[in-house]
Amino acid sequence: RKEVEQDPGPFNVPEGATVAFNCTYSNSASQSFFWYRQDCRKEPKLLMSVYSSGNEDGRFTAQLNRASQYISLLIRDSKLSDSATYLCVVNTGNQFYFGTGTSLTVIP
Amino acid sequence: DTAVSQTPKYLVTQMGNDKSIKCEQNLGHDTMYWYKQDSKKFLKIMFSYNNKELIINETVPNRFSPKSPDKAHLNLHINSLELGDSAVYFCASSQPSDSEQYFGPGTRLTVT
């Protein structure tokens, strides 16, 4: 079983749409959680950390459900520039595990 | 100023050759990593160093040998390259070891 699982997509949504990604993790002792964004042929970059209380950054909202061991990312009012691959990342305290990423394309 | 830099950006070489990829970070981080991203885009950790000491060594062939001359550098040497080694290799750093990672731009290795 993979440490982190994500739906690879692709998700194709029109501009202005709301889209949500989910990610599940297998290690209940995982300590920190992140969403990274990776553009085509570029390096991953931190989008936001995910906290138990949930956190919001502009159009992006991240949530963590420890009981069900899943993490979500909600993007509101999608922009063309949001097109990218979104990687769910979990740290178990001594190692990072990356999901395979979810591909998002925002269509004009 | 580039936070995490890697050289070369592209590397095309023949099977059986030995090659090195260099990584440097100017963020003052204690922890550095090497990741491999294959054609299916799966990003998998290979090695992790903390203050020049190896702390994670995932199941990679021993043809891959990391070297950390100081905590700002983590180089990757690959012996006897194989076709399956073709991938993008990313270096990253973080401080502390469970916080945000900063990635280098990647080295696209093609073995022919």
Side-chain angles (χ1 to χ4, degrees), chain B:
Chain B
D1 283 342
T2 304
V4 182
S5 59
Q6 291 179 231
T7 53
K9 191 167 183 181
Y10 298 97
L11 184 54
V12 181
T13 188
Q14 291 184 326
M15 282 174 56
N17 285 348
D18 303 338
K19 291 293 178 186
S20 292
I21 307 172
K22 295 186 177 181
C23 177
E24 177 181 0
Q25 53 97 2
N26 62 8
L27 298 166
H29 290 168
D30 285 338
T31 308
M32 295 185 72
Y33 313 82
W34 275 109
Y35 287 89
K36 178 180 179 180
Q37 189 168 44
D38 59 27
S39 57
K40 295 182 180 178
K41 309 299 184 189
F42 182 50
L43 198 65
K44 186 168 169 35
I45 192 162
M46 301 174 70
F47 302 102
S48 171
Y49 266 72
N50 187 282
N51 254 327
K52 301 188 338 178
E53 287 190 25
L54 180 66
I55 56 173
I56 293 173
N57 182 355
E58 286 298 296
T59 308
V60 299
N62 58 13
R63 299 181 294 104
F64 291 79
S65 53
K67 294 263 188 320
S68 183
D70 55 62
K71 77 172 195 177
H73 296 84
L74 181 62
N75 303 324
L76 183 65
H77 189 76
I78 316 170
N79 288 329
S80 303
L81 278 155
E82 299 178 357
L83 293 176
D85 298 332
S86 297
V88 181
Y89 292 84
F90 287 102
C91 175
S93 72
S94 71
Q95 178 81 331
S97 60
D98 66 344
S99 68
E100 175 186 0
Q101 292 189 317
Y102 292 79
F103 283 81
T107 296
R108 187 169 295 274
L109 171 65
T110 303
V111 182
T112 61

Side-chain angles (χ1 to χ4, degrees), chain A residues 7 10-11 15 24-25 27 30 41 46 49 55 75 79 82 92 102 104 107:
Chain A
D7 179 350
F11 285 65
E15 268 186 290
T24 58
Y25 60 94
N27 188 336
S30 296
R41 302 176 82 86
L46 181 69
S49 300
N55 46 305
I75 306 175
K79 311 289 184 194
D82 294 334
T92 58
T102 299
L104 171 66
I107 305 163

